[in-house]
Amino acid sequence: MHTYDRIGNYLNAFLHLLYPQICFGCGTDQLDTCKPLCNDCIQDLPYTEFFSIQNHPVEKIFWGRVDIEAAGALLFFTKDSLVQDLITQLKYHHNKKVGILLGQLIGSAIVSAPKFELIDVLIPIPLRSSKINSRGFNQSHVIALGIQSVCHRPIDSVSLRKRRWTSTQTLKSRSDRLEFVQDVFVLNNAAQIKGKNILLIDDVLTTGATLEAAAHCLMKGHPASISIAVAAYTL
Ligand SMILES: [Zn+2]
């Protein structure tokens, strides 16, 4: 072993003693340092298998609302679960390892799914620019990075933008909020997405309103198709 490698190993062992990396799921310290979960916990996550089947609940959400080529969610999201802990880590504690892992798992699922094989470009759901400035972190973009590491498709963070508007919390009624969400996105560069097969990426799918609005906005640029991939689907 090279001296530098040996020093590196000692240093890693020393850092591990000072700052042990532990699995979010089971607390073991036997895990790959670039991952937030050990392999057993990764294997035991509640996978939906939606990327490889047709006419599942996530695709049905968009029926009659917007023309989606294919859709899928990696995991089932339930309250007080490990999936909820992972999403909290990603969204509110900006834990990049979680986003990369979820993206890699989505990437592995779609790389072998025929209905996703034509994807040309990955588009993460954007945050409002004021929000990115204050947080410096877009969880959907981090998931896209993880997908890219497996699928090797370009990420387009420019074409779809979010308007700089007031918070949805200030809009009291449900109809106000639905109207608001329709107008939330702006197409920035129509030429860039013309004729492309887009994979739209988000962290959690609940009503589908945000993804529907983003897809409607992207359609103005005449892409060949729009598909959807999310990390978790709320039951
Ligand atoms: Zn574990």
Side-chain angles (χ1 to χ4, degrees):
M1 191 187 286
H2 196 282
T3 315
Y4 290 115
D5 291 340
R6 196 174 293 142
I7 292 170
N9 283 349
Y10 285 140
L11 192 61
N12 279 339
F14 181 63
L15 284 172
H16 185 79
L17 279 176
L18 283 181
Y19 308 104
Q21 297 256 352
I22 59 159
C23 169
F24 276 111
C26 65
T28 177
D29 64 354
Q30 299 303 306
L31 78 172
D32 190 335
T33 51
C34 66
K35 290 182 180 165
L37 295 179
C38 71
N39 287 335
D40 287 345
C41 285
I42 291 173
Q43 216 171 337
D44 289 345
L45 286 169
Y47 295 99
T48 66
E49 310 298 342
F50 287 168
F51 289 108
S52 54
I53 59 172
Q54 306 275 359
N55 303 337
H56 52 72
V58 168
E59 284 186 345
K60 286 181 182 171
I61 281 180
F62 298 101
W63 286 0
R65 290 167 67 178
V66 62
D67 190 10
I68 295 298
E69 182 74 19
L74 180 73
L75 304 169
F76 288 112
F77 181 102
T78 48
K79 274 200 155 190
D80 305 321
S81 65
L82 176 56
V83 176
Q84 185 181 34
D85 291 345
L86 289 173
I87 297 296
T88 302
Q89 275 296 319
L90 173 64
K91 256 179 136 152
Y92 304 108
H93 302 286
H94 304 170
N95 189 332
K96 200 173 173 183
K97 286 181 191 176
V98 171
I100 297 288
L101 173 68
L102 293 171
Q104 287 171 335
L105 294 170
I106 293 172
S108 306
I110 64 175
V111 90
S112 54
K115 59 182 180 173
F116 290 93
E117 70 184 357
L118 293 175
I119 296 297
D120 299 307
V121 62
L122 312 175
I123 299 190
I125 290 288
L127 295 178
R128 243 165 254 122
S129 53
S130 55
K131 227 174 185 181
I132 293 182
N133 291 343
S134 63
R135 302 187 349 183
F137 188 92
N138 175 356
Q139 66 273 12
S140 300
H141 189 263
V142 180
I143 295 171
L145 288 171
I147 297 176
Q148 184 182 46
S149 71
V150 180
C151 297
H152 310 293
R153 301 291 196 282
I155 297 174
D156 175 353
S157 308
V158 179
S159 298
L160 188 66
R161 287 245 171 254
K162 212 165 195 182
R163 278 188 213 275
R164 206 187 267 261
W165 274 359
T166 50
S167 156
T168 47
Q169 307 306 319
T170 62
L171 300 167
K172 293 289 177 238
S173 78
R174 183 174 152 77
S175 61
D176 276 355
R177 257 178 275 148
L178 281 177
E179 211 169 286
F180 169 85
V181 88
Q182 291 296 327
D183 248 353
V184 126
F185 296 102
V186 193
L187 187 59
N188 213 24
N189 187 352
Q192 195 161 314
I193 60 162
K194 193 176 179 190
K196 296 276 173 66
N197 294 290
I198 294 170
L199 183 65
L200 197 52
I201 296 154
D202 206 359
D203 52 358
V204 180
L205 173 74
T206 311
T207 64
T210 304
L211 284 158
E212 181 189 354
H216 275 300
C217 180
L218 287 169
M219 274 171 180
K220 294 176 195 159
H222 305 289
S225 70
I226 299 174
S227 295
I228 284 171
V230 297
Y233 164 56
T234 312
L235 279 176

